[in-house]
Amino acid sequence: CLENTDPRTRGRGIQLLSRVLLQCNSLLQEKEVLHLVLFYENRLQDHHLVIPSVLQGLRALSMCEVLSPGLAVSVLKAIFQEVHVQSLMQLDRHTVYSIITNFMGTREEELKGLGADFTFGFIQVMDGEKDPRNLLVAFQIVHDLITKNYALGPFVEELFEVTSCYFPIDFTPPPNDPHGIQREDLILSLRAVLASTPQFAEFLLPLLIEKMDSDLQSAKLDSLQTLTACCAIYGQKELQEFLPSLWSSLRREVFQTASEKVEAECLAALHGLSACLSRSVLSSDTEDLLDSFLGSILQDCRHHLCEPDMKLVWPSAKLLQAAAGASLRAYHRVTRSVLPLLLEQYTKHPQSSQRRTILEMLLGFLELQQKWGHVEEDESTLLSLRAPICSVVFSALTDPSVQLQLVGIRALIVLGSLQGFLSPSDLELVVDHLIRLALHEEDSQSSEAAMEAAGSLAPIYPKVFSGHMVPRLEEELQSEREEESSRDHCSLQQRCLQALAAVSIHTSIVRETVPVLLQHLRKVQKGSKARNAQDVVSVCQSLHRVALQCQQDAEGCWYYHQTVVPCLLAMAVQAATQESTHPLLGKALLEEEVLAAMVPVISAATTHLSPELAAQSVSHVVPLFLDGEVSFLPQNSFPCSFQPFEDGECLEAQRRLVVLLMAFVCSLPRNVAIPQQERLLRELLALSCSCNCPFTATTAAKCFAGLVNKHPAGQQLDEILQLAVNRMEPGLAEGPRQTQALTLLLWVRPALDAGRGERQGGRPGADSALPAQVTKALVLRYHPLSSRLTDKLLGLLGDVELGPAAADGFSLLMAESPDVLHKDCHADVRIMFRQRFFTDNVPKLVQGFHGAGPDVKANYLKGLSHVLNHLPKPVLVTELPTLLSLLLEALSCSDRVVQLSTLSCLQPLLLEAPQIMSLHVDTLVTKFLSLASSPTMAVRIAALRCAHALTSLPTTVLLPYKARVIRALAKPLDDKKRLVRKEAVAARGEW
């Protein structure tokens, strides 16, 4: 074939040889490679039909490691001389680029020996290339030519021209493009070339200035981003000639553009220019280009800051800040001129809105100083203007305008973060202003912002805040003002508590604030006012915030734990043991609301303890509950012994404190051994099954579940679980005990299930929460017994009386647990436990639904909707085709919980799976419009949100229903509830 006179036959022969070489080039010896290269070079002079196969062979040979010196140069010279590359097909051109790339990777020094001839040869190869696949490779070759210092010789401009002709990139990938090349890929690749060498500057900068004036926003953005990239490698020599034109274009765009993107890129480019000029090393005989450039900016922008209509104030300020933020030298040059002017303008303008604008500009310049940290005394404009700056900021804090106050507070944080700026007397004034705003400012926005500011500044100035602010807050907290109404006094106390928590960032401050909070808690406990419970909750909320802020500091965390936890336990035990003799004293501490507020305090104080310190603490707390060992508690003289696990009506108050034990032991790290754990588990199990108080039974069950979840696998765990099952099964089997065994399964959904106990009948209590809690604990860790307990729950769905409550149990199993069974408490929560529960149990729910009688079908739908509602949406979308008919049937169910759960499940699916949902649009429209008139407000809101989400389906699907939906949605516009009207307006407007 190779010697045949027919070019097509010769081509087939060379094609076969080339394919063989592509498979086995690594096996060739040096002499064989030499012989083949000479053959292929000669074939480049053959008929044009043969050339593609010849190039494939040369590509194979270019990958050989045993290529003799000089052969790479020889091959490329032959290609440059014999092949008109741009007349070839795309694939063949790509082959040429691959050959060049291979040689540049392995024979760099040889190719550099060609000098500028190699660059010129490549320019001829690339000139006229149009295919984006080839351009990506060609741009990479040019980038390597420049960055690896190949000789460009006299061909710099030609190389620039052959690449810059593609700028700006205008490419839209065809639909279903298999190559996946995006416009952004080409833009970044070309930008890397154009911004790779200062030698292109004299050609590139005029091009960029021209494209900045383009009407196309994409061209403007590309030009500005390329200019910013160039500034990183250019020096002032390259920029000098073009600075006036560049500044003119940037200024015009910022002053005139309506596009935030263009403005942002202009500011980035100006920042880059300023940074580039700042890097230049000055000699005695060169002009300081940075100074003259900033002088031009100041000349064009400064006067706009003084205009009475303040039209171009913000664009001018942004330009000045962009230039000033590039370097400390630029910052000093700009602020020296601008800051005195802004301070002067602030005093000239009496209106709060104008003052706010000026202060926000001043704030922008102050924030720039943060980049360089400490304020240098010798050349800082800031230090020389310290007094007027502080005066302006303090005056803003006393202004009646809330918006001006908020900007002043932000400025205060920035001034405080500048080390060495605020004097001791300034800091005292800062604290005074923050206290006044936090406690006495009527507007809550200013009050909250002042507390946040105090929290930001407290770690920087711990001595000032612990010595000056905390005593003031303590004084305010303890004060009793006769002239104030009870409501105002409560509001002031509330703010004092919040402020104390806000500043408790540094350990030294925590040591001051925690005793104040605990002292106030004792004072509230001893009172007998009606608001006591709410006051205690407020203190607990502040203590909780302090605990969260201490968690990352080991010293602060341990101090907090050993101070707060024993104190809370002591007060609670005191209240519980006094209950029988002094019913009023400490009563507030035994209310469910207060005990529930203590739980997150103790939990947050415990979760981040080291194992050693946690073990030390648990050795005191567990004996307190099991044996009444109170010696470690402060003020531990109690009226009677503490025995929460003993029988007796008079010990009811003590049993309620098991919730505090739950908060502690369920928050311990898993590797901390709990003393007498088996005995503790048995006591908790007995209490959860025998206690008549729903609150105590639930918390005992949750505590039992939390411990079981973390218990190491083995015989001990199996025995305690078998004991639990033996205690539960009779309660679930016997008629009178069934309702009790399931009533408190619904603890996780109190908002939805308010009042259900009365409708279902029966007294809540006893074995209530245990089945659900234990099942949840085991489901999370994939324990084998979990499936048995879940099956028991599934079986109860067919019970007419218990079915609805059993269905709600599925919500508890799938939902996040707020206090014990979650990762922050170190619970054993396995990855994807919800998906596994779904896979194991949803088929049983569907099967049960189809086999159930009409009076209990709703129970299965409710259980299913709870499971689906907590399932990750990507998983739900994949299962949607098989479950959608059941979900649609659930919408017809009369149970509002089923309706609400199903609607909240369907709403995201309308957005994420529009194609599947489109098939059922007729049913969906009918159901949603019907439920928009539901007697339950939450259902009406959810139905209207779904009607709104329907608009994400394809327009062609929706058009037949448009008039009907708009007509139907007119009615909820007049709903008596504002939230319903709001959703109706949004949905109807979208339709």
Side-chain angles (χ1 to χ4, degrees), residues 20 181 221 258 264 291 318 336-337 418 421 424 443 453 495 505 507 519 532 568 612 704 768 789 850 906 909 984 987:
V20 172
I181 295 175
L221 291 171
D291 190 68
K318 287 176 181 176
R336 197 163 56 238
S337 173
L418 299 176
F421 185 81
D443 188 88
R495 286 191 176 187
I505 303 289
T507 303
Q519 181 60 36
N532 270 13
L568 291 181
E612 299 76 26
F704 179 85
S768 56
L789 294 176
H850 290 304
L906 285 172
L909 294 175

Side-chain angles (χ1 to χ4, degrees), residues 307-381:
E307 291 174 355
D309 61 357
M310 304 186 92
K311 219 183 208 176
L312 293 173
V313 159
W314 268 119
S316 301
K318 287 176 181 176
L319 287 165
L320 289 165
Q321 287 167 7
S327 68
L328 194 54
R329 190 154 65 99
Y331 180 75
H332 288 318
R333 173 72 176 88
V334 173
T335 53
R336 197 163 56 238
S337 173
V338 172
L339 288 189
L341 180 66
L342 289 175
L343 293 168
E344 180 190 333
Q345 291 300 305
Y346 186 90
T347 53
K348 272 188 182 179
H349 290 86
Q351 290 182 3
S352 296
S353 59
Q354 293 174 322
R355 286 190 160 193
R356 176 188 162 199
T357 301
I358 295 165
L359 187 55
E360 282 184 328
M361 288 189 286
L362 183 64
L363 176 61
F365 286 103
L366 294 175
E367 285 171 337
L368 291 177
Q369 175 68 55
Q370 288 180 301
K371 291 169 68 173
W372 297 287
H374 193 76
V375 182
E376 299 292 339
E377 289 190 26
D378 53 348
E379 53 177 334
S380 172
T381 311

Side-chain angles (χ1 to χ4, degrees), residues 718 721-722 725 774 778 782-790:
D718 293 340
L721 287 175
Q722 191 55 53
V725 171
V774 176
L778 301 181
Y782 296 167
H783 193 280
L785 188 59
S786 65
S787 58
R788 177 179 161 189
L789 294 176
T790 307

Side-chain angles (χ1 to χ4, degrees), residues 594-638:
V594 173
L595 290 171
M598 287 185 180
V599 168
V601 179
I602 295 174
S603 179
T606 307
T607 51
H608 284 64
L609 288 180
S610 67
E612 299 76 26
L613 296 175
Q616 186 179 327
S617 189
V618 77
S619 67
H620 295 305
V621 176
V622 172
L624 166 68
F625 282 86
L626 287 178
D627 306 312
E629 180 55 63
V630 296
S631 57
F632 81 103
L633 297 178
Q635 303 167 344
N636 53 18
S637 57
F638 303 119

Side-chain angles (χ1 to χ4, degrees), residues 563-832:
T563 307
V564 174
V565 173
C567 182
L568 291 181
L569 289 173
M571 283 193 281
V573 171
Q574 182 78 31
T577 52
Q578 281 180 344
E579 176 70 5
S580 56
T581 53
H582 302 86
L584 288 177
L585 288 179
K587 180 74 174 174
L589 282 180
L590 300 175
E591 292 187 19
E592 289 181 22
E593 179 189 10
V594 173
L595 290 171
M598 287 185 180
V599 168
V601 179
I602 295 174
S603 179
T606 307
T607 51
H608 284 64
L609 288 180
S610 67
E612 299 76 26
L613 296 175
Q616 186 179 327
S617 189
V618 77
S619 67
H620 295 305
V621 176
V622 172
L624 166 68
F625 282 86
L626 287 178
D627 306 312
E629 180 55 63
V630 296
S631 57
F632 81 103
L633 297 178
Q635 303 167 344
N636 53 18
S637 57
F638 303 119
C640 61
S641 59
F642 181 60
Q643 301 169 316
F645 291 114
E646 296 294 324
D647 292 330
E649 283 293 327
C650 61
L651 297 178
E652 182 56 50
Q654 294 187 20
R655 285 196 281 270
R656 293 168 80 83
L657 301 195
V658 170
V659 71
L660 304 184
L661 172 68
M662 174 200 79
F664 176 78
V665 295
C666 292
S667 301
L668 293 167
R670 257 184 273 174
N671 56 354
V672 174
I674 296 173
Q676 306 181 70
Q677 184 168 10
E678 303 313 311
R679 178 186 163 196
L680 177 60
L681 283 167
R682 290 171 188 273
E683 295 283 14
L684 288 167
L685 180 60
L687 183 61
S688 67
C689 293
S690 61
C691 181
N692 291 326
C693 170
F695 178 78
T696 304
T698 302
T699 52
K702 286 159 78 172
C703 189
F704 179 85
L707 292 174
V708 162
N709 174 263
K710 295 181 190 176
H711 199 295
Q715 185 180 351
Q716 283 185 325
L717 177 62
D718 293 340
E719 287 175 3
I720 199 74
L721 287 175
Q722 191 55 53
L723 183 63
V725 171
N726 293 343
R727 294 293 293 267
M728 282 189 289
E729 283 184 336
L732 291 169
E734 295 172 19
R737 301 288 288 173
Q738 281 186 317
T739 305
Q740 293 179 0
L742 275 171
T743 299
L744 292 186
L745 276 174
L746 311 180
W747 63 267
V748 80
R749 287 255 174 213
L752 293 181
D753 302 317
R756 177 162 291 128
E758 291 77 11
R759 288 199 303 276
Q760 290 172 349
R763 176 180 56 83
D767 296 338
S768 56
L770 190 66
Q773 300 296 348
V774 176
T775 307
K776 171 96 174 175
L778 301 181
V779 163
L780 292 180
R781 62 181 280 179
Y782 296 167
H783 193 280
L785 188 59
S786 65
S787 58
R788 177 179 161 189
L789 294 176
T790 307
D791 287 344
K792 198 169 286 295
L793 199 62
L794 282 163
L796 289 171
L797 292 173
D799 188 292
V800 175
E801 186 180 346
L802 284 176
D808 281 320
F810 285 90
S811 177
L812 187 151
L813 295 179
M814 296 293 284
E816 288 291 336
S817 299
D819 43 16
V820 285
L821 294 171
H822 62 97
K823 285 188 176 180
D824 290 344
C825 289
H826 312 288
D828 186 358
V829 180
R830 300 299 172 89
I831 190 170
M832 294 169 63

